[in-house]
Amino acid sequence: MRPTPPPRTYRVKSFGCQMNVYDGERMAELLGEQGITPAPEGEEADLVVLNTCHIREKAAEKVYSDIGRLRREDGTSPLIAVAGCVAQAEGEEIMKRAPAVSMVVGPQAYHRLPAMIAEAVEGRRAVDTDMPAETKFDALPARRKVGPSAFLTVQEGCDKFCTYCVVPYTRGAEVSRPFTDLVEEAKKLVEAGARELTLLGQNVNAWRDADGRGLEKLIEVLAVIPGLARIRYTTSHPNDMTDGLIAAHRDVPQLMPFLHLPVQAGNDRVLKAMNRSHTTESYLRVLDQVRAARPDIALSGDFIVGFPGETDAEFEDTLRLVEQVGYAQCFSFKYSARPGTPAATMDGQVPAAVMDERLQRLQAAVNASQLAFNQASLGKRCTVLVERQGRHAGQWLGKSPWLQSVHFTGDAAIGDLVEVELTEAGPNSLSARLLEPATV
Ligand code: SAH
Ligand code: SF4
Ligand code: F3S
């Protein structure tokens, strides 16, 4: 690589889960602290950070087409850093496959990005996929400006080793951030404009502090931060839904009535082969307990169709589960074999055409469930946190307590909590009538 002038502008592109979005924001803040500014819309940036996702093959391959697209007509490229889970999983491989890349930085090492940029400017390529003992969080600048709904990563990594999943390899073992650091960062986020915090973790409900306090204790303390109106958390594992956390859904009004609790499949043989360590029955029992604590809770899930060996009859158990639960939202995916995971070499890999057909059937069931949930909300009065302007004049978009997208017209501003009545429902959003601008 040839030496280049130090970058003056940057663009961070994040793919994958919300934790990557959070990491992307923090990398942007870090670059800002170095005096590098966001590239204006439509202009090429001097430095591009591709913050990648490795969860499915399509997501992982995307990075290479993105790198290709950054090539200029004269064959040169801006400075490119590949960050995130593909960086962690493929490391040096990326350098070999993509000569235009000058930095590869794993999710636990991105606080070292400024040092790597200094190397790259000198013409040296650098790979850092360490999972260092010192935490990146301590080395990052304070939060300054965020939207009304902000993310806060409280826990990283996963010890569950579901047989299809790369996360335990790309993000490492479960680590919880300390209580006081999180309360500090939450306060900073509220000062910077957040009215809602979503606590993030690959296994967020496994969060524990050194004294053994669980996520519900953190939620209780965050709930009384002045100016913070709403708290959410994602993603949870069914086995880590403790009685304390379930009770928080009854006792903490700031904790929104929404729970994303992936189940992946509705058949116990498949769940066992996935190493999910829960059954459909134990999953449904948890949902019953949560509903007893908070009867209006909106439920959400993730599903994989076509796990190796899944038969038609086993897949149909998943359809039945979707009908039984009455989800408000769901994400469904075709199984994607990931290198190095146990499921990738299991017998009975399901043909693509069968997966396509199953996914279509599942998505039809999920759409019906979402529509039914939204229709059941019609006539309800609730608050909406206004997140952005709509396409039409005077139109606003925000979220209901049940995480539904709601649009309405009237006098409001981004960051307001307004009182509305829900008047029309589709599978993915609702319309509402503004009752009064009720900034809490
Ligand atoms: N920690 C969370 C989220 C993990 S990734 C959890 O345990 O639920 C988000 C979703 O991607 C998973 O819930 C799963 O549905 C899906 N997923 C993970 N690995 C996959 C694979 N190899 N193929 C298809 N979908 C996958
Ligand atoms: Fe992946 Fe399973 Fe861990 Fe979720 S619980 S991140 S699906 S290994
Ligand atoms: Fe993707 Fe890594 Fe998140 S693989 S889903 S970006 S933890």
Side-chain angles (χ1 to χ4, degrees), residues 19-284:
M19 303 196 59
N20 252 18
V21 174
Y22 173 90
D23 285 350
E25 288 169 1
R26 302 226 61 181
M27 278 189 268
E29 289 161 346
L30 184 63
L31 297 173
E33 206 193 28
Q34 307 293 308
I36 313 175
T37 55
E41 192 78 41
E43 270 178 42
E44 189 192 81
D46 300 337
L47 166 67
V48 178
V49 180
L50 298 173
N51 191 22
T52 59
C53 173
H54 199 249
I55 202 85
R56 284 166 288 273
E57 191 181 355
K58 253 203 195 130
E61 280 300 311
K62 194 172 172 3
V63 59
Y64 294 103
S65 52
D66 273 23
I67 293 166
R69 226 169 293 132
L70 289 170
R71 232 173 111 101
R72 305 181 184 114
E73 270 174 18
D74 66 0
T76 62
S77 301
L79 276 177
I80 302 173
V82 176
C85 291
V86 178
Q88 192 64 42
E90 296 186 4
E92 292 281 353
E93 239 349 89
I94 301 173
M95 290 296 198
K96 282 196 209 124
R97 231 180 116 174
V101 172
S102 40
M103 291 159 271
V104 172
V105 57
Q108 308 306 344
Y110 65 68
H111 54 297
R112 297 176 177 166
L113 202 50
M116 297 172 82
I117 295 170
E119 293 276 314
V121 164
E122 299 291 326
R124 285 187 294 273
R125 305 173 88 195
V127 177
D128 192 340
T129 51
D130 281 1
M131 296 200 178
E134 95 264 5
T135 141
K136 62 188 175 191
F137 298 107
D138 291 343
L140 295 169
R143 316 300 312 265
R144 289 219 177 78
K145 192 171 179 301
V146 293
S149 178
F151 292 141
L152 172 54
T153 292
V154 304
Q155 178 279 339
E156 283 198 287
C158 183
D159 298 339
K160 300 277 192 286
F161 291 93
C162 301
T163 52
Y164 50 81
C165 184
V166 293
V167 171
Y169 312 98
T170 61
R171 294 276 173 163
E174 281 176 12
V175 178
S176 296
R177 293 182 63 193
F179 203 104
T180 45
D181 291 10
L182 293 170
V183 176
E184 268 317 294
E185 189 173 328
K187 285 182 181 159
K188 291 263 161 53
L189 286 166
V190 175
E191 277 166 30
R195 317 274 337 254
E196 170 178 280
L197 290 183
T198 302
L199 311 181
L200 298 180
Q202 268 91 17
N203 248 317
V204 71
N205 57 344
W207 183 88
R208 289 276 167 291
D209 78 350
D211 303 326
R213 287 181 290 189
L215 192 65
E216 68 277 10
K217 294 287 176 226
L218 180 63
I219 290 171
E220 275 167 31
V221 170
L222 298 184
V224 296
I225 294 177
L228 182 63
R230 293 175 160 194
I231 300 174
R232 304 180 184 277
Y233 61 94
T234 199
T235 294
S236 297
H237 191 283
N239 285 7
D240 292 319
M241 284 307 293
T242 60
D243 292 345
L245 184 55
I246 292 171
H249 278 283
R250 180 190 60 219
D251 299 335
V252 183
Q254 292 86 348
L255 183 58
M256 290 293 102
F258 185 92
L259 176 64
H260 180 58
L261 199 63
V263 62
Q264 314 298 355
N267 174 276
D268 287 346
R269 192 203 64 79
V270 175
L271 288 175
K272 193 147 195 269
M274 287 176 162
N275 191 31
R276 282 295 292 181
S277 65
H278 59 76
T279 60
T280 42
E281 196 196 320
S282 67
Y283 176 76
L284 290 169

Side-chain angles (χ1 to χ4, degrees), residues 298-310:
L299 297 167
S300 155
D302 287 348
F303 291 91
I304 296 176
V305 303
F307 184 80
E310 185 188 63

